[in-house]
Amino acid sequence: MALPPHEYARSALNAELHVQVAVDRIELPPVTPGEAVVTGRITRVFRGTPSLLTTPVSFTLEVCQEGDDVDPGGTLWTDPARLKGASVIEVFLARHGEGFRNASYDTSLLTAPTDSPTIVYTEEMGEDPDDHPVDGPRRLLLFGVATVIGLAVLGWMLVG
């Protein structure tokens, strides 16, 4: 089963870096589904230290082809053929040991760097809807529905 949208948004918002990486090399796995290794250098920094420009990075992306047998889950799969054609990848990264790791697996495959991000998340998108009380208009509607049901049950009990 796929993860709820707010969890993808939250992982991207929590990532240390939001960057675009100019691709130098892509190593596809021998079989799919699997992990491709992307190697390149940071060409745009949207979140993180601007001094990271031109920093070499390597990270993995989950790849599968149409027809691959994959377990349902929260993996955001990338088509290996599309990946091979990307010159730039927008990605959310986190430091890991002496390198970086993919922090959200939400990526954008691009033909050239862009001046602004192509993947945008807001704090609101990263909020779990179950963590918030029902807002005013919905609360009023729910109260009205509950009142009607309660009165119907009470009437049924009095009549019956």
Side-chain angles (χ1 to χ4, degrees):
M1 177 191 316
L3 295 175
H6 74 272
E7 290 193 28
Y8 293 113
R10 179 53 40 208
S11 65
L13 290 166
N14 289 341
E16 179 183 355
L17 304 174
H18 180 185
V19 297
Q20 288 180 353
V21 174
V23 176
D24 291 330
R25 188 174 71 247
I26 295 173
E27 296 174 43
L28 294 176
V31 295
T32 60
E35 284 188 341
V37 178
V38 176
T39 304
R41 54 196 152 57
I42 296 176
T43 189
R44 294 284 191 272
V45 178
F46 302 118
R47 182 184 322 131
T49 308
S51 63
L52 290 171
L53 275 174
T54 71
T55 299
V57 295
S58 183
F59 57 91
T60 61
L61 285 178
E62 301 290 334
V63 294
C64 77
Q65 299 180 76
E66 187 174 328
D68 280 347
D69 186 23
V70 295
D71 293 328
T75 303
L76 295 175
W77 297 101
T78 300
D79 180 294
R82 287 190 59 237
L83 178 59
K84 266 306 223 192
S87 301
V88 174
I89 300 175
E90 186 169 331
V91 63
F92 297 90
L93 298 174
R95 292 186 190 276
H96 183 71
E98 293 184 26
F100 298 90
R101 68 172 177 78
N102 192 330
S104 78
Y105 290 94
D106 191 2
T107 59
S108 183
L109 307 179
L110 307 167
T111 56
T114 60
D115 291 333
S116 55
T118 63
I119 308 170
V120 178
Y121 287 109
T122 64
E123 282 297 324
E124 184 177 73
M125 294 166 73
E127 294 176 359
D128 184 344
D130 295 334
D131 288 346
H132 301 286
V134 177
D135 62 5
R138 284 183 46 206
R139 185 177 326 141
L140 184 58
L141 178 62
L142 290 174
F143 176 75
V145 170
T147 301
V148 169
I149 291 171
L151 289 173
V153 169
L154 181 61
W156 177 76
M157 291 173 56
L158 291 174
V159 173

Short mmCIF file of all heavy atoms in Angstrom, two decimals, residues 85-124:
data_model
loop_
_atom_site.label_atom_id
_atom_site.label_comp_id
_atom_site.label_asym_id
_atom_site.label_seq_id
_atom_site.Cartn_x
_atom_site.Cartn_y
_atom_site.Cartn_z
N GLY A 85 17.87 8.82 -19.40
CA GLY A 85 17.80 10.01 -20.26
C GLY A 85 17.90 11.33 -19.51
O GLY A 85 17.93 12.39 -20.13
N ALA A 86 17.97 11.29 -18.18
CA ALA A 86 18.00 12.53 -17.40
C ALA A 86 19.40 13.13 -17.38
O ALA A 86 20.38 12.43 -17.15
CB ALA A 86 17.53 12.26 -15.97
N SER A 87 19.48 14.42 -17.61
CA SER A 87 20.75 15.15 -17.50
C SER A 87 20.90 15.74 -16.11
O SER A 87 22.00 15.95 -15.62
CB SER A 87 20.80 16.28 -18.52
OG SER A 87 20.67 15.78 -19.82
N VAL A 88 19.75 16.03 -15.49
CA VAL A 88 19.71 16.65 -14.16
C VAL A 88 18.60 15.97 -13.37
O VAL A 88 17.55 15.63 -13.93
CB VAL A 88 19.43 18.17 -14.27
CG1 VAL A 88 19.25 18.80 -12.90
CG2 VAL A 88 20.53 18.87 -15.05
N ILE A 89 18.84 15.77 -12.08
CA ILE A 89 17.83 15.19 -11.21
C ILE A 89 17.64 16.10 -10.01
O ILE A 89 18.61 16.46 -9.34
CB ILE A 89 18.23 13.78 -10.74
CG1 ILE A 89 18.40 12.86 -11.94
CG2 ILE A 89 17.20 13.23 -9.75
CD1 ILE A 89 18.91 11.47 -11.59
N GLU A 90 16.40 16.50 -9.78
CA GLU A 90 16.08 17.27 -8.57
C GLU A 90 15.76 16.25 -7.48
O GLU A 90 14.96 15.33 -7.70
CB GLU A 90 14.90 18.19 -8.82
CG GLU A 90 14.62 19.11 -7.65
CD GLU A 90 13.62 20.20 -7.99
OE1 GLU A 90 13.53 20.61 -9.17
OE2 GLU A 90 12.92 20.63 -7.07
N VAL A 91 16.36 16.43 -6.32
CA VAL A 91 16.28 15.41 -5.28
C VAL A 91 16.41 16.04 -3.90
O VAL A 91 16.99 17.12 -3.76
CB VAL A 91 17.38 14.33 -5.52
CG1 VAL A 91 18.77 14.93 -5.41
CG2 VAL A 91 17.23 13.14 -4.62
N PHE A 92 15.88 15.36 -2.90
CA PHE A 92 16.05 15.75 -1.51
C PHE A 92 17.08 14.81 -0.90
O PHE A 92 16.91 13.59 -0.95
CB PHE A 92 14.72 15.62 -0.75
CG PHE A 92 13.65 16.55 -1.30
CD1 PHE A 92 12.80 16.13 -2.31
CD2 PHE A 92 13.52 17.83 -0.80
CE1 PHE A 92 11.83 16.98 -2.82
CE2 PHE A 92 12.55 18.69 -1.31
CZ PHE A 92 11.71 18.26 -2.32
N LEU A 93 18.15 15.38 -0.35
CA LEU A 93 19.25 14.57 0.18
C LEU A 93 19.48 14.86 1.66
O LEU A 93 19.14 15.94 2.15
CB LEU A 93 20.55 14.86 -0.59
CG LEU A 93 20.57 14.55 -2.07
CD1 LEU A 93 21.89 15.02 -2.69
CD2 LEU A 93 20.38 13.06 -2.31
N ALA A 94 20.10 13.89 2.33
CA ALA A 94 20.55 14.05 3.72
C ALA A 94 21.98 13.54 3.79
O ALA A 94 22.35 12.61 3.06
CB ALA A 94 19.64 13.27 4.66
N ARG A 95 22.76 14.13 4.66
CA ARG A 95 24.12 13.62 4.86
C ARG A 95 24.04 12.24 5.47
O ARG A 95 23.20 11.96 6.31
CB ARG A 95 24.91 14.56 5.77
CG ARG A 95 25.19 15.88 5.11
CD ARG A 95 26.11 16.74 5.97
NE ARG A 95 26.19 18.08 5.45
CZ ARG A 95 27.01 18.47 4.48
NH1 ARG A 95 27.83 17.61 3.94
NH2 ARG A 95 27.01 19.70 4.05
N HIS A 96 24.94 11.38 5.00
CA HIS A 96 24.97 10.01 5.49
C HIS A 96 26.43 9.57 5.49
O HIS A 96 27.03 9.41 4.42
CB HIS A 96 24.12 9.11 4.58
CG HIS A 96 24.03 7.71 5.04
ND1 HIS A 96 23.31 7.34 6.15
CD2 HIS A 96 24.57 6.58 4.55
CE1 HIS A 96 23.42 6.04 6.32
NE2 HIS A 96 24.18 5.55 5.36
N GLY A 97 26.98 9.39 6.68
CA GLY A 97 28.40 9.07 6.77
C GLY A 97 29.20 10.19 6.14
O GLY A 97 29.02 11.35 6.48
N GLU A 98 30.06 9.86 5.19
CA GLU A 98 30.85 10.88 4.51
C GLU A 98 30.20 11.33 3.20
O GLU A 98 30.77 12.13 2.47
CB GLU A 98 32.25 10.33 4.25
CG GLU A 98 33.04 10.12 5.53
CD GLU A 98 34.46 9.68 5.25
OE1 GLU A 98 34.99 10.00 4.17
OE2 GLU A 98 35.04 9.02 6.13
N GLY A 99 29.01 10.80 2.91
CA GLY A 99 28.35 11.16 1.66
C GLY A 99 26.93 11.63 1.89
O GLY A 99 26.63 12.30 2.87
N PHE A 100 26.06 11.24 0.98
CA PHE A 100 24.66 11.65 1.01
C PHE A 100 23.77 10.44 0.73
O PHE A 100 24.20 9.47 0.12
CB PHE A 100 24.39 12.73 -0.04
CG PHE A 100 25.18 13.98 0.18
CD1 PHE A 100 26.43 14.14 -0.39
CD2 PHE A 100 24.67 15.00 0.97
CE1 PHE A 100 27.17 15.30 -0.19
CE2 PHE A 100 25.40 16.15 1.18
CZ PHE A 100 26.65 16.30 0.60
N ARG A 101 22.53 10.54 1.16
CA ARG A 101 21.53 9.53 0.82
C ARG A 101 20.26 10.24 0.36
O ARG A 101 20.02 11.38 0.72
CB ARG A 101 21.24 8.60 1.99
CG ARG A 101 20.52 9.27 3.14
CD ARG A 101 20.06 8.28 4.21
NE ARG A 101 19.44 8.98 5.30
CZ ARG A 101 18.20 9.45 5.29
NH1 ARG A 101 17.43 9.29 4.23
NH2 ARG A 101 17.72 10.09 6.33
N ASN A 102 19.49 9.54 -0.42
CA ASN A 102 18.22 10.06 -0.89
C ASN A 102 17.28 10.10 0.32
O ASN A 102 17.02 9.07 0.94
CB ASN A 102 17.67 9.14 -1.99
CG ASN A 102 16.52 9.74 -2.73
OD1 ASN A 102 15.76 10.52 -2.19
ND2 ASN A 102 16.38 9.35 -3.98
N ALA A 103 16.75 11.26 0.65
CA ALA A 103 15.96 11.42 1.87
C ALA A 103 14.47 11.24 1.65
O ALA A 103 13.74 11.07 2.62
CB ALA A 103 16.22 12.80 2.48
N SER A 104 13.99 11.26 0.42
CA SER A 104 12.54 11.15 0.24
C SER A 104 12.14 10.29 -0.96
O SER A 104 11.00 9.89 -1.05
CB SER A 104 11.92 12.53 0.07
OG SER A 104 12.12 13.01 -1.25
N TYR A 105 13.03 10.03 -1.86
CA TYR A 105 12.74 9.28 -3.08
C TYR A 105 11.74 9.98 -3.99
O TYR A 105 11.24 9.40 -4.93
CB TYR A 105 12.31 7.83 -2.78
CG TYR A 105 13.49 7.05 -2.26
CD1 TYR A 105 13.73 6.93 -0.90
CD2 TYR A 105 14.40 6.50 -3.14
CE1 TYR A 105 14.85 6.26 -0.43
CE2 TYR A 105 15.52 5.83 -2.68
CZ TYR A 105 15.74 5.71 -1.33
OH TYR A 105 16.84 5.06 -0.88
N ASP A 106 11.45 11.24 -3.70
CA ASP A 106 10.64 12.04 -4.61
C ASP A 106 11.62 12.83 -5.45
O ASP A 106 12.34 13.68 -4.94
CB ASP A 106 9.71 12.96 -3.83
CG ASP A 106 8.66 13.59 -4.73
OD1 ASP A 106 8.64 13.28 -5.94
OD2 ASP A 106 7.86 14.39 -4.23
N THR A 107 11.68 12.53 -6.73
CA THR A 107 12.65 13.16 -7.61
C THR A 107 11.96 13.71 -8.85
O THR A 107 10.84 13.33 -9.17
CB THR A 107 13.72 12.15 -8.07
OG1 THR A 107 13.08 11.08 -8.75
CG2 THR A 107 14.51 11.61 -6.89
N SER A 108 12.67 14.58 -9.53
CA SER A 108 12.20 15.10 -10.81
C SER A 108 13.35 14.93 -11.81
O SER A 108 14.46 15.37 -11.55
CB SER A 108 11.82 16.57 -10.65
OG SER A 108 11.29 17.09 -11.85
N LEU A 109 13.05 14.25 -12.91
CA LEU A 109 14.06 14.03 -13.95
C LEU A 109 13.96 15.17 -14.94
O LEU A 109 12.90 15.44 -15.50
CB LEU A 109 13.81 12.69 -14.64
CG LEU A 109 13.70 11.47 -13.71
CD1 LEU A 109 13.43 10.21 -14.52
CD2 LEU A 109 14.93 11.32 -12.85
N LEU A 110 15.10 15.85 -15.18
CA LEU A 110 15.11 17.06 -15.99
C LEU A 110 16.13 16.97 -17.11
O LEU A 110 17.09 16.19 -17.03
CB LEU A 110 15.45 18.26 -15.10
CG LEU A 110 14.58 18.44 -13.85
CD1 LEU A 110 15.20 19.45 -12.90
CD2 LEU A 110 13.18 18.87 -14.24
N THR A 111 15.96 17.81 -18.12
CA THR A 111 16.93 17.87 -19.20
C THR A 111 17.98 18.96 -18.95
O THR A 111 19.03 18.94 -19.57
CB THR A 111 16.23 18.14 -20.55
OG1 THR A 111 15.47 19.34 -20.44
CG2 THR A 111 15.31 16.97 -20.92
N ALA A 112 17.66 19.91 -18.06
CA ALA A 112 18.59 21.00 -17.73
C ALA A 112 18.24 21.55 -16.36
O ALA A 112 17.10 21.39 -15.89
CB ALA A 112 18.49 22.11 -18.77
N PRO A 113 19.19 22.20 -15.69
CA PRO A 113 18.88 22.82 -14.40
C PRO A 113 17.82 23.91 -14.56
O PRO A 113 17.70 24.52 -15.62
CB PRO A 113 20.21 23.43 -13.95
CG PRO A 113 21.25 22.86 -14.83
CD PRO A 113 20.58 22.41 -16.08
N THR A 114 17.06 24.14 -13.50
CA THR A 114 16.05 25.19 -13.51
C THR A 114 16.42 26.22 -12.43
O THR A 114 17.13 25.90 -11.48
CB THR A 114 14.65 24.63 -13.23
OG1 THR A 114 14.64 23.98 -11.95
CG2 THR A 114 14.24 23.63 -14.31
N ASP A 115 15.91 27.43 -12.58
CA ASP A 115 16.21 28.48 -11.60
C ASP A 115 15.38 28.35 -10.33
O ASP A 115 15.76 28.88 -9.29
CB ASP A 115 15.98 29.86 -12.22
CG ASP A 115 17.02 30.18 -13.29
OD1 ASP A 115 18.15 29.62 -13.20
OD2 ASP A 115 16.71 30.95 -14.21
N SER A 116 14.25 27.67 -10.43
CA SER A 116 13.42 27.46 -9.24
C SER A 116 13.08 25.98 -9.16
O SER A 116 13.15 25.25 -10.15
CB SER A 116 12.16 28.33 -9.31
OG SER A 116 11.46 28.08 -10.49
N PRO A 117 12.70 25.51 -7.96
CA PRO A 117 12.41 24.09 -7.79
C PRO A 117 11.23 23.63 -8.64
O PRO A 117 10.30 24.38 -8.89
CB PRO A 117 12.05 23.96 -6.30
CG PRO A 117 12.40 25.25 -5.66
CD PRO A 117 12.52 26.27 -6.74
N THR A 118 11.29 22.38 -9.09
CA THR A 118 10.16 21.78 -9.81
C THR A 118 9.32 20.94 -8.86
O THR A 118 8.21 20.55 -9.21
CB THR A 118 10.64 20.91 -10.98
OG1 THR A 118 11.43 19.83 -10.47
CG2 THR A 118 11.46 21.73 -11.97
N ILE A 119 9.84 20.65 -7.68
CA ILE A 119 9.10 19.92 -6.65
C ILE A 119 8.93 20.88 -5.48
O ILE A 119 9.91 21.35 -4.91
CB ILE A 119 9.85 18.67 -6.15
CG1 ILE A 119 10.27 17.77 -7.30
CG2 ILE A 119 8.99 17.91 -5.14
CD1 ILE A 119 11.21 16.65 -6.88
N VAL A 120 7.67 21.18 -5.14
CA VAL A 120 7.40 22.14 -4.07
C VAL A 120 6.43 21.52 -3.08
O VAL A 120 5.37 21.02 -3.47
CB VAL A 120 6.83 23.45 -4.63
CG1 VAL A 120 6.51 24.43 -3.51
CG2 VAL A 120 7.80 24.08 -5.62
N TYR A 121 6.81 21.52 -1.82
CA TYR A 121 5.93 21.08 -0.74
C TYR A 121 5.74 22.22 0.24
O TYR A 121 6.68 22.98 0.50
CB TYR A 121 6.55 19.89 0.02
CG TYR A 121 6.52 18.60 -0.76
CD1 TYR A 121 7.69 18.06 -1.27
CD2 TYR A 121 5.33 17.92 -0.97
CE1 TYR A 121 7.67 16.87 -1.97
CE2 TYR A 121 5.30 16.73 -1.68
CZ TYR A 121 6.48 16.21 -2.17
OH TYR A 121 6.46 15.04 -2.87
N THR A 122 4.56 22.32 0.81
CA THR A 122 4.28 23.29 1.87
C THR A 122 4.16 22.55 3.19
O THR A 122 3.91 21.33 3.21
CB THR A 122 2.98 24.05 1.59
OG1 THR A 122 1.89 23.12 1.62
CG2 THR A 122 3.03 24.77 0.24
N GLU A 123 4.29 23.28 4.28
CA GLU A 123 4.11 22.68 5.61
C GLU A 123 2.73 22.04 5.72
O GLU A 123 2.57 20.98 6.30
CB GLU A 123 4.31 23.72 6.71
CG GLU A 123 5.75 24.04 6.99
CD GLU A 123 6.55 22.84 7.49
OE1 GLU A 123 6.01 22.02 8.26
OE2 GLU A 123 7.73 22.73 7.12
N GLU A 124 1.73 22.70 5.15
CA GLU A 124 0.37 22.17 5.20
C GLU A 124 0.29 20.79 4.53
O GLU A 124 -0.40 19.90 5.00
CB GLU A 124 -0.59 23.15 4.53
CG GLU A 124 -2.04 22.71 4.62
CD GLU A 124 -2.97 23.74 4.00
OE1 GLU A 124 -2.99 23.84 2.75
OE2 GLU A 124 -3.67 24.42 4.75
#
